[in-house]
Amino acid sequence: MTKRCGTARKTRSVTTGRQVLLAQAALVGGVVTALFLKELPGLLREVRIYRMTGGLRAHRRYP
């Protein structure tokens, strides 16, 4: 058996393109979810106002 002296194996982490895309998708999904949750109360208020004014059936009342 021969010993190798002074040769250290260099290990480095290899990040594949698929892992980068998954990380980006997770980041974008988190941002979109946070934005949606932040805007949800305003959206619910708008829907409530729309329903109070009659929605699509209110053509005669609100020209």
Side-chain angles (χ1 to χ4, degrees):
M1 287 180 48
T2 61
K3 286 187 176 181
R4 292 184 183 178
C5 294
T7 58
R9 260 192 171 167
K10 291 184 180 180
T11 59
R12 59 182 159 149
S13 64
V14 177
T15 304
T16 63
R18 180 175 297 234
Q19 289 173 333
V20 171
L21 286 175
L22 285 174
Q24 287 177 348
L27 185 67
V28 169
V31 168
V32 168
T33 302
L35 183 63
F36 177 74
L37 290 177
K38 182 178 180 264
E39 295 294 326
L40 189 61
L43 291 171
L44 292 177
R45 185 174 57 245
E46 292 292 331
V47 168
R48 194 176 324 129
I49 291 170
Y50 178 73
R51 290 179 68 198
M52 282 192 302
T53 59
L56 291 175
R57 299 173 292 169
H59 293 297
R60 283 173 276 158
R61 285 184 280 174
Y62 302 101

